[in-house]
Amino acid sequence: MTTAARDVIAGPVSAIPPDEGRTFVLGGLRIAIFHTRTGQVFATQADCPHKNGPLADGLVGNGLLICPLHSWKFELATGKALYGECGLTTYPAKLDEQQRVVVTVPALD
């Protein structure tokens, strides 16, 4: 059985300052949403897979996210870890016409 995905509105992009992240609960999942200086938005799992650090509190720049606890680095677009094999789950994110962040999340059964 295939689990359907759905789009969920997180809120206005203005709620997330450029080069920062915020944690939201969307579709029953804790998701960190990041807003870059170039205006892009990215969504990942909220907690670092290494030590459960709050990823939304990490440093964002040059397409990378650095965990605030132990400086693990991840690519925002893919979730790929720069070192090691423990990557992040990512979710498609975009801005709608009203400059709201829309994230596609899997439906939870």
Side-chain angles (χ1 to χ4, degrees):
M1 180 174 160
T2 304
T3 303
R6 62 189 176 107
D7 288 344
V8 179
I9 296 171
V13 72
S14 60
I16 308 169
D19 281 348
E20 290 190 22
R22 296 291 184 267
T23 300
F24 296 82
V25 177
L26 304 174
L29 298 169
R30 284 178 26 87
I31 296 176
I33 299 176
F34 302 92
H35 177 204
T36 68
R37 273 196 203 284
T38 60
Q40 294 178 289
V41 290
F42 296 93
T44 71
Q45 67 190 64
D47 300 313
C48 182
H50 175 224
K51 295 279 185 176
N52 292 319
L55 291 174
D57 294 341
L59 297 174
V60 176
N62 296 322
L64 298 177
L65 166 63
I66 303 173
C67 176
L69 290 188
H70 296 99
S71 300
W72 278 34
K73 296 177 183 173
F74 304 93
E75 292 179 357
L76 277 172
T78 65
K80 181 181 176 195
L82 266 58
Y83 309 104
E85 309 217 357
C86 208
L88 301 176
T89 300
T90 60
Y91 304 92
K94 64 184 178 186
L95 296 177
D96 68 9
E97 310 80 37
Q98 296 153 352
Q99 295 301 295
R100 298 178 299 181
V101 180
V102 180
V103 179
T104 303
V105 297
L108 299 179
D109 295 329

